[in-house]
Amino acid sequence: MDHLPSPAFRLGANNYGKAGVRLVRVERDGAEHVIRDLTVHTELSGDLAATHLTGDNAGVLPTDTQKNTVYALARDRIGPIESFAERLARHFVDRTGSIDTARIAIEERTWSRFGPHSFSRGEGGEARTAEAVYGGEHTRITAGIRDLLLLNTTDSEFQGFAVDEHTTLQPTEDRILATAVDASWRYSHAEGVDFDKAFAAAADALLGAFRDTYSRSLQQTLYAIGERVLSAVPEAAEVRLSLPNKHHYLFDLEPFGLDNPGVVFQAGDRPYGLIEGTIARADE
């Protein structure tokens, strides 16, 4: 028996797509090969009420088709992942009548070369990211980096903070500052941007700000990173940052008759502080 939608309810915002499409492309131009290692996520929305309310799938482009499209469009080239994400988004919207908006998110992992066609990659590590959202006219492009592990062994303190009856944390004038940066920057426009060059400039700026900033709080470091990235990438309108505090506690060696002159630490896992923020240009 067919289900009949009740007039007491309505369909809200909805989308569908294919998550975790694993794509490896070997670029064989010349004696030295290049590996591109991507994970692609597609998300489509539009006139999809019929499939939800009556099961009429005439407007549904199967998620398997979306997966196949990722591989097919990668056949000739990938290029910067920002551009590849935009190509995919435009393909789905411009060729599928029921779809009015496509969101494509991509993560790229890097392989290290140790020969003309030999590569290594440890598990984990940072990933370059990109997202394209296309609604038929304009494309919004966001790029970034995820899981970038950074650590300063000094030039960081944390003191002068608020104290109440539940406070046990002691102020420190010298601590290890460690984090796993998730950063994304939104481009004010997509036309004419050299995405590879912009990404390299943003990554260098991020590392430089973390290295050069004497940190009195992770919040201060976050803001310094955002300022440096926006200064280095004029096409970027804003930067969003998420910085978990990877705690390192000075281990007490006194029970063993030993001092600890800031050399032995216990790395904490959970719970951890999470500092997040957005830095935008004043005229945005």
Side-chain angles (χ1 to χ4, degrees):
M1 180 178 178
D2 287 341
H3 172 76
L4 297 177
S6 169
F9 308 102
R10 66 176 181 85
L11 177 66
N14 63 90
N15 54 73
Y16 78 110
K18 201 72 165 181
V21 179
R22 296 286 293 110
L23 164 64
V24 173
R25 188 181 193 277
V26 180
E27 299 180 357
R28 301 179 180 275
D29 298 333
E32 286 194 345
H33 295 172
V34 175
I35 284 185
R36 305 296 301 277
D37 187 344
L38 277 55
T39 303
V40 182
H41 312 275
T42 66
E43 180 183 293
L44 308 183
S45 57
D47 183 10
L48 298 168
T51 187
H52 289 276
L53 302 180
T54 69
D56 179 353
N57 297 322
V60 176
L61 184 71
T63 64
D64 188 66
T65 303
Q66 296 175 42
K67 174 204 70 178
N68 293 341
T69 302
V70 171
Y71 292 113
L73 266 62
R75 164 61 180 82
D76 293 329
R77 73 186 191 282
I78 290 178
I81 57 173
E82 295 87 347
S83 299
F84 188 50
E86 182 177 12
R87 282 175 59 210
L88 286 165
R90 287 180 175 273
H91 176 94
F92 290 126
V93 172
D94 293 345
R95 295 168 63 101
T96 311
S98 58
I99 300 302
D100 57 34
T101 303
R103 172 184 170 270
I104 309 297
I106 301 178
E107 301 143 23
E108 180 170 18
R109 303 283 177 177
T110 301
W111 288 76
S112 300
R113 177 190 305 282
F114 64 94
H117 52 265
S118 301
F119 304 84
S120 67
R121 199 198 90 186
E123 289 300 317
E126 69 271 16
R128 177 175 171 176
T129 63
E131 179 182 286
V133 178
Y134 175 64
E137 294 185 10
H138 305 291
T139 308
R140 186 179 75 242
I141 301 288
T142 304
I145 193 166
R146 179 175 300 156
D147 297 329
L148 176 62
L149 294 174
L150 300 177
L151 185 148
N152 281 333
T153 55
T154 190
D155 284 350
S156 174
E157 64 180 60
F158 189 59
Q159 51 188 335
F161 46 82
V163 174
D164 66 13
E165 67 274 19
H166 301 300
T167 301
T168 59
L169 182 69
Q170 296 300 305
T172 178
E173 297 179 350
D174 189 16
R175 66 172 181 170
I176 287 178
L177 182 68
T179 187
V181 178
D182 284 357
S184 63
W185 47 93
R186 177 177 58 82
Y187 290 105
S188 57
H189 60 276
E191 297 78 16
V193 178
D194 185 331
F195 292 115
D196 287 339
K197 181 179 178 181
F199 176 83
D204 285 347
L206 191 161
L207 293 173
F210 186 84
R211 177 194 62 218
D212 299 339
T213 301
Y214 183 95
S215 179
R216 291 177 171 82
S217 67
L218 193 50
Q219 288 89 336
Q220 180 190 19
T221 300
L222 180 149
Y223 192 84
I225 290 173
E227 275 193 328
R228 188 81 69 95
V229 170
L230 289 176
S231 296
V233 185
E235 302 93 342
E238 66 175 18
V239 181
R240 295 175 180 264
L241 290 155
S242 178
L243 305 183
N245 198 339
K246 299 283 189 178
H247 299 293
H248 290 71
Y249 305 104
L250 192 67
F251 195 81
D252 183 10
L253 296 176
E254 287 188 7
F256 318 115
L258 300 170
D259 67 349
N260 188 355
V263 296
V264 178
F265 294 83
Q266 181 179 11
D269 182 14
R270 298 181 182 183
Y272 56 87
L274 181 60
I275 314 302
E276 298 181 305
T278 300
I279 299 87
R281 299 187 186 279
D283 56 358
E284 281 292 318

